[in-house]
Amino acid sequence: MSRVGVNLLVRNIPDMPLQLRATQFAVQSLLDSDLRLTDWRLQIVDDASPCEKTQRYLMALRGWPGRRVYVWRNEEQLGIARGRNRGNQFFAENWQPDYVVEMHTDHIFPQEWCLPLLRVMERNLTVGMLGPMLLTGRPMGWSLEHVEIDFSGPYLTARAAVEEAAARHRGIEAIRPGLTHPAMKRWSMLVELAGYDEAMPGLQNYEDVEEAYRATEAGWRIGICPAAVVWHWYAFSRTQTAPGHVKDYWDHKAYCETKHGDGFGAFCDHLGRDMDAAYMREATA
């Protein structure tokens, strides 16, 4: 049975109570899904959330049967690159998985999403990173469908809406070009790349693209699997929690272009020529 570790980074603030609800929906849907058909562990890194209700909720998850859920709290906000690396450091020291799934607090998982990704990666040993097709919380040109979720309503209503939409769009077990989250990453690739680049000057943005670029340069394939569909709100877990996220975006883009040269720009064009415009639409919505 494959060992699948899930790396969840949480940063919730008290004046946005729906962030906690979104986190609860994300975790509950994850633990209600086909992830549980694997040998799984969930490592949660609380990135110094100032929300006390979030802290209590995460601590309560440590009582999950079988010692499968672990929680680490940072004393100060580290941001995505360093925070994710801390989660993977835990896996390296305590329980080495075959794959790591990096999830956000604004995902909702249908019943079936993990095993299709797993089967494709096990058949294609050069694939280092594979993500699902995405449903989104508001209309976005590249998403499969806009599925509006009311986080103030019942979890089961939200989960049913995602389940129905995922069933409409679920495709074949194949690999298409692209980069999405939650991404399933091969552990051997993560060890080779030594994680995210922690020298980026801000807290978030471009760390995943930079890692994916290094992966392809090292000979790994990255892609999207049409047989897996997951809901992702996007802005809810990122742009609304860090006031400097727009500055980080441009600073990190410039950092990557300086570090990697023209090849990085060509790689971004391959992922999506309107990446900058899409981010700014998301950031200002």
Side-chain angles (χ1 to χ4, degrees), residues 184-202:
M184 179 176 284
K185 300 180 180 181
R186 196 177 299 275
W187 180 251
S188 58
M189 182 200 75
L190 291 175
V191 171
E192 178 181 346
L193 298 180
Y196 285 123
D197 182 353
E198 297 188 10
M200 288 186 172

Side-chain angles (χ1 to χ4, degrees), residues 20 100 117 136 153 165 173 185 213 238 241 243 249 255 259 261 278-279:
L20 174 56
V100 169
L117 295 177
T136 52
E173 293 185 1
K185 300 180 180 181
Y213 175 76
R238 180 170 64 177
T241 60
Y249 181 90
Y255 171 88
K259 177 180 178 179
Y279 180 79

Side-chain angles (χ1 to χ4, degrees), residues 255-266:
Y255 171 88
C256 293
E257 291 172 342
T258 300
K259 177 180 178 179
H260 295 296
D262 293 340
F264 185 77

